[in-house]
């Protein structure tokens, strides 16, 4: 008798523990589940593609493949988009008289491109008479669950009411059941971190194809090819690395409210790049840290941290309900701003050569490490749009080219927030003063000196007042006061 099996199509849920649908499938098919990942050429040719982020992604896939193999399973990485990949796999299976999988599963993705792709794939699988199952992983609460309006299909545009609704939803039994599942998954993480890999799976691609046929696996090829283009040191990837960070952050979360705004302090979790690929999920973070918005005794640091996780979800909901934000300003009136778009200024901003130390330190951190502290992201984004009067879309694209955690929804949300073009953004007249921001959030200029060694000899006072004269560090390329007035005029005109 032929034994049914399933294929799990991995996308941005690159882990085994706490991958609810994978776990459900594994139980249903008694371990006969195999993994597939498709390198979509459309993704690889994006204009804001980043070799560094791609390398981190590849390393994450490698770590997942290793974990799956140790658990008796497998992961195949094909060089084509999902339609071509599944079509080819099904053809080969048919040619060899091997049953098609009974089910194909995946976790939902809310980006416009992904939604369109998934609709196409559902029709394809229907045609092939293969059942599909998709689940939730990337968000704790999904866009269709927080809506308003007479038909109940409108998304929220303001964070605070969204947050209030979010925590109300969070209490519901269906969500709490998922959180409990995530909590249980932590014991698997613990086992793996002790080198104990339970045999959860019992099917590999070689077994399925009865050694007759082999699909070329493109992972190593891509890793070797892309390595040459990498410009930074790529952090260790994978589920265990993400948990190491989370563990270390758990002893610091109590200080999160006070420390998170100071870039010289290790005050934040550093988990964003792992969340992007699903090496860890927000559900796991929430259960590991026991984040509960209704716990009256909860430490304020935990409450603030949860609010940031909800900001992430808010931006995904915005992108889902208002997909046009991917291409243009959320607020129609701000779509016609006449930006200066001075290319020399843009180059100076990218290279950390504007003469504004806190801005330059941030931009150099980004280029050297592929990551930037949130407070500094806000400062450099405000500076680009409201001091240099350059289109936020230029900054958004450059961030995507550089960030290891570059992610459409929060990146677009962050940029539109800073440029005041977004839904619940800074009012246009709130313009960060880069001098006072530096003074307030890097008072000893520790962060600045780390990334701008030219300024090592200067006192924090000199640095924060712009009174430094150095042969290789530039003078400020613009006058903040003058630019501020120009920005106010530009926005007011609209
Ligand atoms: C202009 C701009 C661009 C940004 N681009 C991105 C991006 O491409 N990818 C990305 O993940 N984040 C982006 N952010 C949000 C934020 O800066 C990063 O998530 C954060 O710095 C990551 O560091 P962390 O993991 O230590 O954060 P922590 O402070 O430890 O926060 C925990 C998690 O909460 C979420 N989070 C925290 N702050 C925010 C926020 N302001 N908005 C949305 N989610 C948040 C992230 O998932 C983060 O990993 C951007 C912010 C701005 C202002």
């Amino acid at each position: 008798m032929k034994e049914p099996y399933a294929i799990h199509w991995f996308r941005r849920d690159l882990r085994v523990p706490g991958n609810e649908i994978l776990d459900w499938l594994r139980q249903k098919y008694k371990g006969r589940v195999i993994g597939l990942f498709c390198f979509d050429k459309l993704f690889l040719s994006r204009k804001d593609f980043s070799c560094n982020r791609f390398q981190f992604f590849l390393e994450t896939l490698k770590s997942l493949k290793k974990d799956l193999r140790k658990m008796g399973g497998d992961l195949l990485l094909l060089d084509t988009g999902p339609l071509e990949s599944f079509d080819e796999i099904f053809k080969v299976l048919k040619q060899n008289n091997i049953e098609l999988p009974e089910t194909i599963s995946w976790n939902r993705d809310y980006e416009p491109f992904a939604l369109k792709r998934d609709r196409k794939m559902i029709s394809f699988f229907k045609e092939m008479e293969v059942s599909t199952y998709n689940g939730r992983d990337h968000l704790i609460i999904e866009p269709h669950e927080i809506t308003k309006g007479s038909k109940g299909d409108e998304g929220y545009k303001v964070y605070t009411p969204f947050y209030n609704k979010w925590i109300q939803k969070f209490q519901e039994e269906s969500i709490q059941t998922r959180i409990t599942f995530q909590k249980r998954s932590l014991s698997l993480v613990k086992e793996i971190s002790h080198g104990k890999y339970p045999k959860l799976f019992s099917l590999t691609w070689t077994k399925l194809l009865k050694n007759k046929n082999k699909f070329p696996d493109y992972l190593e090829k891509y890793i070797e090819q892309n390595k040459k283009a990498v410009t930074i040191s790529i952090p260790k990837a994978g589920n265990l690395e993400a948990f190491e960070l989370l563990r270390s952050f758990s002893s610091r979360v109590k200080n999160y409210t006070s420390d998170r705004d100071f870039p010289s302090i290790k005050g934040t979790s550093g988990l964003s790049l792992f969340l992007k690929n699903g090496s860890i999920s927000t559900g796991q973070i929430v259960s590991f840290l026991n984040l509960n918005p209704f716990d009256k005794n909860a430490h304020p640091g935990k409450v603030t941290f949860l609010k940031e996780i909800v900001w992430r979800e808010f931006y995904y909901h915005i992108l889902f309900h208002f997909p046009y934000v991917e291409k243009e300003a959320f607020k129609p009136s701000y779509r016609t701003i006449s930006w200066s778009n001075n290319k020399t200024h843009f180059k100076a901003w990218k290279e950390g050569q504007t003469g504004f130390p806190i801005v330059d330190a941030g931009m150099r951190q980004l280029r050297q490490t592929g990551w930037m502290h949130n407070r500094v992201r806000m400062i450099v984004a405000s500076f680009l749009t409201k001091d240099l009067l350059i289109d936020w879309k230029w900054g958004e694209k450059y961030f995507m080219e550089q960030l290891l955690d570059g992610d459409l929804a929060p990146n677009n949300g962050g940029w539109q927030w800073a440029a005041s073009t977004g839904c619940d953004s800074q009012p246009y007249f709130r313009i960060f003063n880069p001098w006072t921001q530096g003074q307030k959030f890097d008072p000893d200029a520790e962060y600045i000196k780390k990334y701008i060694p030219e300024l090592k000899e200067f006192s924090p006072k000199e640095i924060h007042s712009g009174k430094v004269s150095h042969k290789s560090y530039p003078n400020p390329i613009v006058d903040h006061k003058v630019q501020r007035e120009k920005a106010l005029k530009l926005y007011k005109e609209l």
Side-chain angles (χ1 to χ4, degrees), residues 408-421:
L408 175 59
N411 193 41
N412 181 277
W415 274 98
Q416 296 226 36
W417 180 88
S420 303
T421 60

Side-chain angles (χ1 to χ4, degrees), residues 256 268-272 305 308 312 371 374 377 405 407 411:
Y256 185 71
T268 69
S269 69
L271 283 164
S272 51
F305 188 69
E308 292 305 317
R312 175 180 176 273
W371 189 82
N374 179 60
R377 290 187 205 206
D405 65 21
D407 195 356
N411 193 41

